[in-house]
Amino acid sequence: MQPTGHVHGDAVRVAGDARQRFYDSRGYGRPLAGNEIELSRVEAAHLLFRGDLSGIALAADADPVGFERFFVECAAATDRFAVRYLVYADLRDRGFYLSPARDPWPGGSAAVADAVDFVAYERGSTPDTGNVKYPVQVVGERESLSAAGLAGRTLAIVDEESDITYFAAESGRIAGATDYEPPAALMGVLLSDRVVVWDAPEGLYERGFYGQPLTGRAAAVEGAIQLSLVEAASLAADDVLSLSASVETVGDSSGEVGGDGPAAAIVARGRAVEGERFDRRLAVYNRLREADTVPKTGFKFGADFRTYLDVETVDDLPHSEHLVRVVDPDHRFSPRELSLDVRLAGGVRKEMVFALTTVAAGGDGDSDAVRNADVEWLSIGRLTP
């Protein structure tokens, strides 16, 4: 005869030999006095579904109910019960012992974020003896999740058909081995959304992979390189690039861009065409260059940048290793957005990295706001537990 449980607040209590039967041997619940244990509702539902409990009484002196009634009652009374049950049952079926991690049910002694629903222990170990393998945050397809604080979690996304996709979110670090210093005296013309350097030295593109040639190799005009605004702003802030003119000053007798200097002029143009995102993208671009990587546009992949870690020459260019999307730390992902980014990156053999950064308003291309902006690298990839 299987034991019967009874609802006690947010949990289910089971007496008899429950401690030996469920906690000691299989890691369910937590022990109380004697042999009694307390189960979370998700754990109780799983045992009831398996037939390890004969029923659960929803109130004192009430007749025990079966799985169907208990599941519906819990779904009505408990936040996100259905999606959390699906993930719990799936991980149990994969051979993991789990502890619920939400108040009032801390996951053993594991220190986890409030958003974590379960902690899954290394296979074959119990809450008493095992190390945490996966701190699991359960997310429904139509929910959103904050970009901040995701590092170190396992995301279990449940879609509308109850299929589960797992993602690992980890602190990332991008470091390369591209050894190139741009020349100290470049002169460019600021157009509406790019800068053209008419007589760029060959190494600027061939070795540093800055910009793109304006024309083909067989053209009469040689050495003309068009830079994106983030490339140009970064070079100008390093006092490498000056501006001889812009689309506003063409025809002016002075022929030079004045004001606060070329970096400020390029940043102002970037803000005009892209808004506040330009400063964040520039801060991330600078960090990537400082890490000896080569960032190029990731437009073809729906990202801000793709990165090359070790560029010897453009003629022998390796595959890019990362796709980088720049987001504010307050950004909230939709699961569909996240799944699309990670799937696309995996499909083209790249790692999906999100760069979380906030840049204070104001300042020019050499301002402390851009130079000293904090950047948190968040790598997210598919996971099979």
Side-chain angles (χ1 to χ4, degrees), residues 80-348:
R80 302 165 59 254
F81 175 83
V83 291
R84 289 191 294 120
Y85 172 81
L86 290 168
V87 173
Y88 181 90
D90 181 68
L91 289 171
R92 273 283 180 177
D93 289 346
R94 292 171 185 261
F96 292 99
Y97 289 174
L98 299 94
S99 290
R102 288 202 167 189
D103 287 340
W105 201 268
S109 59
V112 295
D114 290 342
V116 172
D117 292 274
F118 307 109
V119 290
Y121 300 94
E122 294 174 342
R123 278 193 175 90
S125 60
T126 66
D128 280 343
T129 63
N131 296 319
V132 174
K133 179 71 171 177
Y134 302 116
V136 182
Q137 179 176 347
V138 179
V139 186
E141 179 185 344
R142 296 181 180 87
E143 298 178 55
S144 66
L145 65 159
S146 173
L150 276 186
R153 299 182 199 168
T154 298
L155 305 176
I157 298 180
V158 184
D159 66 24
E160 65 179 359
E161 294 184 353
S162 300
D163 283 334
I164 304 167
T165 304
Y166 293 95
F167 297 91
E170 301 173 347
S171 294
R173 178 177 177 269
I174 301 179
T178 301
D179 183 17
Y180 176 78
E181 290 291 332
L186 300 173
M187 187 67 69
V189 176
L190 176 59
L191 305 182
S192 59
D193 63 350
R194 63 204 65 216
V195 170
V196 175
V197 177
W198 291 110
D199 55 351
E202 182 179 0
L204 186 67
Y205 173 71
E206 294 294 337
R207 283 281 294 109
F209 205 8
Y210 282 95
Q212 290 287 343
L214 183 63
T215 55
R217 293 180 181 272
V221 177
E222 297 182 358
I225 297 294
Q226 49 186 335
L227 301 170
S228 71
L229 290 177
V230 289
E231 291 175 311
S234 181
L235 289 169
D238 289 335
D239 296 323
V240 168
L241 174 67
S242 300
L243 297 177
S244 62
S246 75
V247 290
E248 282 84 3
T249 62
V250 171
D252 191 300
S253 59
S254 69
E256 293 188 357
V257 175
D260 296 325
I266 297 168
V267 169
R269 184 63 52 79
R271 291 169 179 165
V273 300
E274 193 174 346
E276 64 178 1
R277 286 190 69 252
F278 182 80
D279 291 72
R280 294 200 300 271
R281 292 179 65 241
L282 177 57
V284 171
Y285 180 90
N286 286 338
R287 291 293 181 279
L288 290 169
R289 279 287 181 180
E290 290 167 3
D292 294 329
T293 71
V294 175
K296 300 295 288 183
T297 177
F299 175 79
K300 292 179 181 179
F301 308 102
D304 289 289
F305 302 110
R306 67 189 194 276
T307 65
Y308 298 87
L309 299 186
D310 190 3
V311 176
E312 293 289 340
T313 171
V314 171
D315 291 333
D316 189 23
L317 198 65
H319 286 290
S320 58
E321 293 88 355
H322 305 89
L323 294 182
V324 179
R325 270 193 61 196
V326 181
V327 298
D328 190 276
D330 294 333
H331 179 75
R332 296 193 67 85
F333 292 109
S334 74
R336 186 181 298 274
E337 166 196 16
L338 196 62
S339 179
L340 179 63
D341 285 340
V342 174
R343 173 68 75 176
L344 191 151
V348 293

